[in-house]
Amino acid sequence: MRSGLEPIKKVAGTIKDHLWGILNAVALEVSNGPAESLNSRIKMIKVRNRGFRNKGRFANATTSTLEG
C-alpha cells in the first residue's frame, strides 16, 4: 500500500478482507436490521427483568415476548 499511515492501511485491509460480503450486501440489497431488532428485544428483556434464576426462565421470557 502506498499510504504511510497505519490507520489507513488497517481500514484498507479490512475492506479488502470483507470485499465480497460488502459487494453481495449492496447487490442483493440485504440488511441485518431484523437480526439487530431481535437482539435489541432480547437485551431489553434482560435489562427489564434484572436477571433470571436459571436459563429456562430466561428462555421462556424471551420466546413469550418475541411471539407476542
Side-chain angles (χ1 to χ4, degrees):
M1 282 181 220
R2 294 180 185 171
S3 176
L5 301 173
E6 282 302 316
I8 300 298
K9 288 181 179 181
K10 187 175 179 181
V11 168
T14 301
I15 291 172
K16 184 178 177 183
D17 291 344
H18 297 282
L19 184 60
W20 284 110
I22 294 167
L23 293 175
N24 282 331
V26 171
L28 299 174
E29 297 179 1
V30 294
S31 170
N32 68 337
E36 291 294 335
S37 172
L38 179 63
N39 189 34
S40 174
R41 288 183 190 179
I42 291 171
K43 286 183 179 183
M44 180 185 65
I45 292 167
K46 287 169 60 175
V47 168
R48 187 178 346 139
N49 293 306
R50 301 281 188 215
F52 292 89
R53 291 178 187 254
N54 59 43
K55 291 180 183 179
R57 290 183 182 203
F58 176 69
N60 288 339
T62 304
T63 55
S64 66
T65 300
L66 296 177
E67 291 173 356

